[in-house]
Amino acid sequence: MTYINTSSTLINSLGSLTKNMYTVDTVESMMASLQLEMASLFGFSVTWLYAFKDNCKKTSQLISVVGKNHKEIQSKYPTIDITNDKMMEKIFNSDFPVYVADARTDPITDKEIVNTLDYRTVINCQLFLHGESMGFIGAGAFATEGVQEMSIDEITYFSALSNIVSITLDRISYREKSLRDPLTNLNNKRGLAVNAETLLALAERNNHSIAVIFIDLDNFKPINDKFGHDLGDKALIYFSQCLKNILRRTDIIARVGGDEFVLLLTDINDEEYIHKLIVQINLECTQLKVIKNNLAITFSAGFAVFPQDGTTLDQLISLADKRMYQIKTTSKNVYS
């Protein structure tokens, strides 16, 4: 099937995408919208986004891919060596989109990638943010779609598209940073509130329970005083990473104070799971391996359960905090 787009169609598409991009708040939702547009305008069945790995301009890392064969792309090409790829070299040496009508015969394509994924037509465009190259956005068709011929106007469309994507990524990144604790990369108070709003609404709709655990590290100030804030920061990072390793991907972890953490556990069937989890945290996260001699810490924890203990995040945190404090004033390293 041949896709022929007039200038007005392309301009309307860019206008629609610009408006739509202001409503997306994740890379995944951005990519889903882009793929719908790529399929509608050009018949492309997959859209990908790559960025420089570790700020090194020698390797591009897959950030997101949406559409046909996306799992195969994720598994086989999570990174691409830019230095040994003629197409990558051309993309990053050009401000204009790099269009390849037939990847099977074009001299700049990596034939191993082409044959493995069965690509036919591909187009990629470099992304710039604040004047710096950050990666590229691309789309393509496979053998079953055949060669997709593109006009100059259609190719130029991708230059404008790359600007829209760059601005959207900058906005998403800024939003995500505003929801994150810079030291531990956990949710901060605002991030906790944003995520909790969604989780509580879903729990109410599906008649599920959610547990809120309030954790306070015991006597953390003396650690900073004795060993210095650098070690204290490392201890917080270690504890945070340990929490990430233990909790499920559907759970939420937030650092809400200097040594205070809030956990949101989704779809809780009984309190026994909560008790077991706190015991596991105590066993696995209290021996800090950040200095030559392990540093042992203790914590106090209290919890509350939605909806029986409260229906808002503030109510649940307040009760969990109160229960934690009651325990903390009697003895350390226990929970309620």
Side-chain angles (χ1 to χ4, degrees), residues 14-208:
L14 292 171
S16 177
L17 277 175
T18 300
K19 183 178 180 180
N20 186 36
M21 289 301 110
Y22 278 110
T23 66
V24 303
D25 54 11
T26 65
V27 172
E28 289 73 21
S29 57
M30 179 194 76
M31 292 294 289
S33 295
L34 290 177
Q35 175 50 34
L36 287 174
E37 200 71 7
M38 295 303 96
S40 174
L41 287 179
F42 308 109
F44 291 143
S45 55
V46 63
T47 302
W48 52 79
L49 171 67
Y50 279 83
F52 291 125
K53 183 178 180 181
D54 300 326
N55 294 320
C56 174
K57 297 186 178 181
K58 295 182 179 180
T59 304
S60 57
Q61 182 173 15
L62 181 66
I63 303 301
S64 180
V65 56
V66 179
K68 183 179 176 182
N69 290 2
H70 69 278
K71 290 184 178 179
E72 188 174 11
I73 296 171
Q74 287 172 338
S75 64
K76 294 184 177 179
Y77 297 102
T79 60
I80 298 176
D81 184 352
I82 297 172
T83 59
N84 294 319
D85 191 300
K86 292 181 180 179
M87 178 179 283
M88 294 297 104
E89 182 180 352
K90 187 170 183 179
I91 291 170
F92 290 112
N93 284 328
S94 174
D95 295 337
F96 197 72
V98 176
Y99 164 64
V100 174
D102 192 338
R104 297 170 298 180
T105 58
D106 196 289
I108 69 169
T109 58
D110 184 323
K111 298 304 184 290
E112 178 184 340
I113 297 177
V114 171
N115 293 331
T116 299
L117 300 176
D118 211 11
Y119 279 138
R120 287 301 175 266
T121 298
V122 294
I123 184 167
N124 293 281
C125 191
Q126 191 172 187
L127 297 172
F128 290 93
L129 189 59
H130 307 306
E132 290 289 329
S133 178
M134 59 182 292
F136 63 93
I137 186 80
F142 297 94
T144 53
E145 287 93 29
V147 172
Q148 306 295 315
E149 298 290 346
M150 299 182 70
S151 67
I152 293 297
D153 285 345
E154 289 175 321
I155 296 172
T156 304
Y157 167 95
F158 277 82
S159 290
L161 179 67
S162 69
N163 291 332
I164 295 172
V165 171
S166 296
I167 293 170
T168 304
L169 288 173
D170 192 29
R171 183 178 60 78
I172 291 173
S173 176
Y174 179 82
R175 179 182 183 275
E176 289 179 345
K177 288 178 181 178
S178 73
L179 303 178
R180 291 282 170 180
D181 170 51
L183 176 65
T184 64
N185 201 35
L186 298 178
N187 288 277
N188 57 22
K189 286 183 178 179
R190 184 166 178 262
L192 174 64
V194 169
N195 285 291
E197 182 179 1
T198 302
L199 290 181
L200 290 174
L202 288 173
E204 183 177 12
R205 186 181 311 154
N206 297 313
N207 197 28
H208 288 168

Side-chain angles (χ1 to χ4, degrees), residues 192 210-216 243 247 251-254 256 260-265 268 271 273-279 281 299-305 313 316-317 319-321 324 335-336:
L192 174 64
I210 288 181
V212 172
I213 302 176
F214 195 101
I215 293 177
D216 184 89
L243 291 176
L247 269 67
D251 298 330
I252 302 298
I253 314 171
V256 297
E260 296 174 336
F261 299 82
V262 170
L263 316 180
L264 264 64
L265 313 180
I268 298 300
E271 291 189 4
Y273 174 80
I274 304 171
H275 289 284
K276 288 182 178 179
L277 179 67
I278 296 175
V279 169
I281 293 172
F299 67 84
S300 299
F303 67 84
V305 180
L313 179 64
L316 295 166
I317 289 179
L319 181 56
D321 186 16
M324 180 278 298
Y335 57 87
S336 175

Side-chain angles (χ1 to χ4, degrees), residues 185 224 329:
N185 201 35
N224 283 326
T329 55

Side-chain angles (χ1 to χ4, degrees), residues 235-249:
L236 291 170
I237 293 170
Y238 177 88
F239 187 78
S240 300
Q241 185 58 53
C242 189
L243 291 176
K244 291 180 187 178
N245 294 338
I246 291 176
L247 269 67
R248 301 165 299 181
R249 295 188 61 170

